Amino acid sequence: MKDFASAEAELAGKVRAHAWNTGDGPTACFQYAVRWLRQNDVLLPGISTLTRLVARERERATRELHDTLVALRRITRVVTLPEEILDDRDDLGHFAHVRVQASDVRGAQVVGSLASSISMARTPRACFSGP
């Protein structure tokens, strides 16, 4: 069995990627962390240690998601759109058929011409790999 200190950094990355990919709450992320520790033969730390790690990594994933969405919003402001799209706005002035799905922001491509403009450099690596 490995001690928690030797696996803490890897677990933190796994929990952050899990929170990013699933949007799970603290309880589900905590259960994921315990399951990962058991599957990888790591001694379980105290509950407060693991709770702090999960809270920290969920907050980090949320902040990174927010930063990605803010960057996406900036990109949509500078993209030149064809006239037919500019005429297709809803009551609030938003483009009716230009949309980004949640899965797009979490690692897949963004609809239309925005895909090549978004940097996913800060996206957790696990977001691009399979389950």
Side-chain angles (χ1 to χ4, degrees), residues 1-55:
M1 289 206 111
K2 298 185 283 189
D3 65 337
F4 178 74
S6 66
E8 184 175 3
E10 184 179 359
L11 175 62
K14 296 287 186 180
V15 169
R16 187 173 59 256
H18 178 79
W20 174 280
N21 285 322
T22 64
D24 280 349
T27 303
C29 287
F30 184 87
Q31 291 170 346
Y32 171 81
V34 170
R35 190 169 46 252
W36 186 89
L37 289 167
R38 287 181 175 164
Q39 289 172 347
N40 290 282
D41 293 325
V42 178
L43 292 172
L44 295 175
I47 190 166
S48 60
T49 301
L50 193 53
T51 301
R52 282 192 301 269
L53 181 140
V54 168

Side-chain angles (χ1 to χ4, degrees), residues 9-130:
E10 184 179 359
L11 175 62
K14 296 287 186 180
V15 169
R16 187 173 59 256
H18 178 79
W20 174 280
N21 285 322
T22 64
D24 280 349
T27 303
C29 287
F30 184 87
Q31 291 170 346
Y32 171 81
V34 170
R35 190 169 46 252
W36 186 89
L37 289 167
R38 287 181 175 164
Q39 289 172 347
N40 290 282
D41 293 325
V42 178
L43 292 172
L44 295 175
I47 190 166
S48 60
T49 301
L50 193 53
T51 301
R52 282 192 301 269
L53 181 140
V54 168
R56 181 183 68 230
E57 296 307 321
R58 282 188 70 245
E59 173 63 29
R60 189 171 167 192
T62 300
R63 195 172 40 249
E64 289 173 356
L65 177 60
H66 177 265
D67 292 347
T68 301
L69 291 172
V70 167
L72 179 62
R73 185 165 173 88
R74 284 191 205 120
I75 290 169
T76 60
R77 290 181 181 163
V78 298
V79 171
T80 304
L81 298 171
E83 280 300 318
E84 60 271 9
I85 292 177
L86 294 175
D87 293 335
D88 190 17
R89 294 180 186 224
D90 63 13
D91 295 337
L92 299 174
H94 299 118
F95 300 113
H97 68 284
V98 176
R99 63 179 172 34
V100 177
Q101 299 171 348
S103 61
D104 297 330
V105 176
R106 290 187 175 141
Q109 291 184 337
V110 175
V111 175
S113 62
L114 302 179
S116 61
S117 304
I118 295 177
S119 169
M120 292 302 209
R122 292 177 47 181
T123 303
R125 178 168 300 178
C127 293
F128 296 107
S129 61

